[in-house]
Amino acid sequence: MEYDLTARQKEILEKFTERVADISKSDWDSHYLTKWLYARNFDIVKAEEMLRASVKYREKMRIDHILEEYEVPEVLGKYLIGGMCGRDKEGLPIRIEPFGNLDMKGIMKSVKKTDLEKIAIRNCEQLLRECQYQSKVQDKRIDGYTLIFDMANFSRKMLWRPGLSVYIANAEILQNNYPEMQKRMFIINAPKVFPILWKLAQPIISENTKRKMKVLGKNYKEELLKYIDEDQLPVFLGGTMTGPNGDPLCSHKICHGGEVPESYYLDDSVASKTADRATISPGNDLKIECEIESPGSILSWNFKTEHKDIGFGITVKPEGSTKEKELIPVSRVDSQVLEQDGNIICEQAGKCKCIKR
């Protein structure tokens, strides 16, 4: 999709290009930069903050190398729903996610927090690579995808708060680092409890993304076929595409999830077996201090709680300063369910403090 900008928007784009010139890369053309402006409604300050934050995030997560370096845990390969399958009438790749078959609790008991973050990023990078390939094949710009979010088989157990929190948090990460990538989204087989889910997710969804969403019930076929040819849509969604041996689910391309066997659960997790143990009484904090000897040092953490969630955050007091600086704001994490792990680059030497409450 090419953007038809007004004179005012073109002026903002020109200024934006100048403001981010110090971090610009060779493949950042005007079309790419316009995406970041659209994501922040052409607020040049917010768009710049968003882009600079994304550059830092990509460096921290080594996103440019994630397809080659990240080894996907077996349980995610077998049970994390979704996959690319077919192209829409504009030539955009189609991603299909059978959300109703997702065992989020089983997934979260089987991997670390960073695995869920990395696999979401990896999926987006695969989509980008597919877009680059299709651009060459079709000899036109392909830089987005169509998403079919299938809620068939959805049950109330999927309203489990920790699972929804992780899913929504990952969606926010993707929205902040891949702006304007999703061209349209069909939510099909939407259950009666969908308004509850929408209420939870709505605050982090941009207005642009909301305009691209179509919420459909069980009679979705006619609407899908307005945008997708039958031979590009799997049989189970009303098309004619099949997998090997006439598979109507196209399981060779789409993971349909299912209940995760307990044999995958991380009973011998690092946090529960090898880490130091501590008890935090109600109303009290556990503060762990460490010395950051040189700028550019990496601070890593890994922990799990036995019964309840916990507040977690990190502050630093730079050398020569009497004031603490917040690196990670204290927020509640579901550490009783999902092993929490991560790292951050400390840009200044000083004393770091991990806070748990």
Side-chain angles (χ1 to χ4, degrees):
M1 183 185 79
E2 298 297 335
Y3 294 108
D4 185 16
L5 304 182
T6 65
R8 176 58 179 159
Q9 288 173 334
K10 289 178 181 178
E11 182 182 336
I12 294 173
L13 173 59
E14 186 175 343
K15 291 180 180 178
F16 183 55
T17 303
E18 294 173 357
R19 290 175 67 133
V20 299
D22 60 309
I23 58 170
S24 183
K25 298 185 179 181
S26 59
D27 58 345
W28 288 12
D29 59 9
S30 60
H31 182 90
Y32 176 80
L33 293 176
T34 300
K35 288 184 172 188
W36 297 87
L37 288 170
Y38 260 102
R40 291 296 180 263
N41 296 315
F42 277 81
D43 184 318
I44 195 169
V45 174
K46 291 182 178 179
E48 182 179 355
E49 289 175 351
M50 181 186 183
L51 178 53
R52 289 186 182 277
S54 180
V55 169
K56 288 184 177 181
Y57 181 75
R58 291 187 68 88
E59 291 174 353
K60 171 192 169 185
M61 300 297 292
R62 290 185 58 79
I63 293 179
D64 289 342
H65 310 282
I66 200 166
L67 291 177
E68 291 72 33
E69 293 182 352
Y70 180 58
E71 186 174 345
V72 179
E74 181 179 296
V75 65
L76 295 183
K78 287 186 175 182
Y79 295 97
L80 187 64
I81 52 123
M84 285 185 286
C85 189
R87 300 191 304 275
D88 67 14
K89 292 182 179 181
E90 295 179 23
L92 305 180
I94 300 169
R95 180 170 174 82
I96 299 171
E97 295 192 4
F99 182 74
N101 298 332
L102 176 63
D103 177 12
M104 196 59 179
K105 183 177 287 188
I107 291 287
M108 289 173 64
K109 287 184 176 182
S110 304
V111 296
K112 297 179 180 179
K113 177 176 177 288
T114 50
D115 283 314
L116 294 175
E117 190 174 346
K118 287 179 179 178
I119 193 66
I121 295 168
R122 187 178 184 276
N123 288 340
C124 276
E125 290 297 308
Q126 283 184 319
L127 276 166
L128 282 177
R129 187 167 288 187
E130 177 65 16
C131 287
Q132 292 168 359
Y133 171 74
Q134 291 298 333
S135 294
K136 293 179 181 178
V137 171
Q138 300 181 45
D139 194 26
K140 66 178 183 179
R141 188 193 296 271
I142 301 292
D143 65 345
Y145 70 102
T146 288
L147 174 64
I148 300 176
F149 194 78
D150 185 9
M151 300 189 74
N153 303 320
F154 184 90
S155 64
R156 286 187 175 270
K157 71 177 183 179
M158 299 182 74
L159 294 173
W160 183 55
R161 186 184 64 82
L164 288 175
S165 296
V166 168
Y167 204 89
I168 291 171
N170 279 350
E172 186 172 18
I173 288 172
L174 300 183
Q175 183 174 255
N176 289 340
N177 291 279
Y178 300 92
E180 293 294 297
M181 187 174 173
Q182 189 182 108
K183 300 306 180 185
R184 62 182 62 89
M185 177 181 182
F186 299 101
I187 301 174
I188 64 174
N189 292 309
K192 292 181 180 179
V193 296
F194 179 77
I196 298 176
L197 294 171
W198 179 246
K199 186 176 181 180
L200 292 170
Q202 188 175 5
I204 65 100
I205 300 176
S206 70
E207 292 303 317
N208 279 342
T209 299
K210 290 175 185 176
R211 286 192 286 268
K212 299 172 186 176
M213 298 171 64
K214 289 180 179 287
V215 182
L216 308 171
K218 296 184 182 298
N219 300 318
Y220 55 81
K221 180 179 176 179
E222 183 178 350
E223 187 66 23
L224 290 185
L225 292 178
K226 290 180 183 178
Y227 301 89
I228 306 168
D229 290 325
E230 279 190 326
D231 63 352
Q232 295 295 307
L233 192 64
V235 167
F236 82 98
L237 294 178
T240 60
M241 180 189 287
T242 60
N245 301 315
D247 175 19
L249 300 178
C250 292
S251 302
H252 64 305
K253 294 185 176 181
I254 306 166
C255 177
H256 287 266
E259 186 173 347
V260 177
E262 291 187 12
S263 58
Y264 282 110
Y265 289 6
L266 296 177
D267 292 329
D268 297 320
S269 66
V270 173
S272 61
K273 298 298 181 182
T274 66
D276 294 332
R277 300 178 70 87
T279 299
I280 307 174
S281 302
N284 294 325
D285 294 346
L286 172 65
K287 298 180 179 179
I288 303 172
E289 294 188 353
C290 62
E291 192 77 28
I292 304 300
E293 297 181 353
S294 59
S297 296
I298 297 176
L299 177 66
S300 300
W301 60 89
N302 184 293
F303 66 91
K304 197 173 190 300
T305 52
E306 289 186 349
H307 302 298
K308 296 180 180 294
D309 64 359
I310 200 169
F312 174 73
I314 298 177
T315 63
V316 63
K317 184 187 291 183
E319 284 184 350
S321 175
T322 59
K323 294 183 178 180
E324 289 187 345
K325 177 183 176 183
E326 197 173 61
L327 291 181
I328 297 179
V330 175
S331 63
R332 308 304 295 182
V333 293
D334 294 305
S335 49
Q336 82 282 20
V337 177
L338 181 63
E339 187 170 311
Q340 303 292 311
D341 66 320
N343 61 72
I344 190 170
I345 298 175
C346 299
E347 298 178 351
Q348 294 175 290
K351 288 187 177 180
C352 259
K353 185 186 295 179
C354 296
I355 304 168
K356 300 178 183 179
R357 58 175 58 137

